[in-house]
Amino acid sequence: MTCWYEGPLAAFDTETTGVDVETDRIVSAAVVVQQGAGTRPRITRWLVNPGVPVPAAATAVHGLTEDHLQRTGRWPAPVMEEIARDLAEQGAAGRPIVVMNAPFDLTILDRELRRHRASSLGRYTEGSSLCVIDPRVLDKHLDRYRKGRRTLTDLCAHYEVELAEAHDAAADAQAALDVVRAVGRRFAGRLERLSPAELHTLQAVWHAAQARGLQAWFAKSGSPETVDPAWPLRPELPAAA
């Protein structure tokens, strides 16, 4: 019987105007669907005119300029709905969705849906059995004592996965998917008996523990930074009084 990490998987990634999920915007996104290890993927790409300035620092990361997005990007409202429906379809088809650092990409998508569709990611995916697999959470749990950073570039280097165009949404999504397959093979003895649904539940627990550890480290070093333990989606902030 084929293990889940050798079978059908989808992957999702975004590029954005910044790193604040509450205020920044999506400028590009991609969903990659692969029916099995080694098969040719189906890639869907979106380019978005966010309707707000694109900081030079963001352009330096992903290469998408404000002028280019204004000329060739689509308006956010229909794009966000298409992305949400695509993810819901993957869940309904039983394909686990690979999302590197899921609380960022899924939360910023949720906030864009609230902003432009007066909806939420949960409303689109309810009843679709959405199972998320986050290579960052998996790697940190399964190889917790390895020193070094755990960015997608670092994970690709560690697991010998090609990342041809870092910070291109489609390339990053494909690389994250390939990393998950590599993690599955390396830690097969600990993962092959888990279903995607069981793994989804476990990752929420693992991420919360990882967040507590990082928060303790920040406190010890005197940093005021806070770490959100929620996974794979951060809760909506309460409205200001």
Side-chain angles (χ1 to χ4, degrees):
M1 185 175 180
T2 302
C3 295
W4 62 263
Y5 50 80
E6 301 289 3
L9 291 175
F12 171 61
D13 189 73
T14 67
E15 296 299 327
T16 64
T17 60
V19 296
D20 188 332
V21 295
E22 303 298 338
T23 59
D24 281 305
R25 311 297 176 90
I26 293 172
V27 297
S28 71
V31 171
V32 174
V33 179
Q34 193 178 36
Q35 292 294 64
T39 63
R40 185 172 182 174
R42 174 181 66 80
I43 302 174
T44 305
R45 297 178 173 87
W46 293 270
L47 196 64
V48 185
N49 177 358
V52 298
V54 179
T59 297
V61 172
H62 48 59
L64 298 171
T65 66
E66 185 173 337
D67 178 67
H68 176 67
L69 292 169
Q70 288 177 345
R71 287 187 291 105
T72 61
R74 296 170 57 201
W75 289 114
V79 171
M80 301 311 152
E81 174 150 2
E82 288 172 16
I83 295 171
R85 290 190 181 279
D86 197 326
L87 296 182
E89 288 172 9
Q90 304 312 319
R95 295 188 194 94
I97 300 173
V98 175
V99 190
M100 174 71 185
N101 191 16
F104 178 82
D105 290 83
L106 295 183
T107 302
I108 200 167
L109 173 60
D110 175 80
R111 302 314 191 247
E112 289 278 54
L113 288 166
R114 294 175 186 275
R115 184 177 294 119
H116 297 290
R117 304 297 305 183
S119 187
S120 67
L121 183 57
R123 290 179 187 172
Y124 282 92
T125 59
E126 61 185 355
S128 67
S129 301
L130 198 67
C131 291
V132 176
I133 300 178
D134 188 332
R136 186 170 183 267
V137 174
L138 285 186
D139 176 70
K140 288 182 72 174
H141 178 77
L142 296 168
D143 198 0
R144 68 181 68 184
Y145 299 114
R146 188 178 82 250
K147 294 183 179 180
R149 301 171 65 198
R150 311 277 180 140
T151 67
L152 180 59
T153 301
D154 297 317
L155 295 186
C156 286
H158 182 71
Y159 290 99
E160 300 181 344
V161 167
E162 181 181 1
L163 177 55
E165 299 178 65
H167 301 296
D168 170 83
D172 285 358
Q174 180 67 64
L177 190 154
D178 291 341
V179 166
V180 162
R181 294 198 191 280
V183 171
R185 292 167 190 147
R186 185 168 300 187
F187 296 97
R190 299 168 66 181
L191 293 176
E192 62 186 356
R193 294 186 180 182
L194 294 172
S195 69
E198 290 171 328
L199 190 56
H200 178 101
T201 300
L202 285 170
Q203 285 172 103
V205 176
W206 296 343
H207 179 270
Q210 293 162 9
R212 288 195 297 271
L214 184 56
Q215 189 69 73
W217 185 86
F218 282 143
K220 186 177 180 180
S221 62
S223 171
E225 189 168 350
T226 59
V227 185
D228 195 323
W231 184 96
L233 182 69
R234 297 175 189 169
E236 185 182 13
L237 290 175

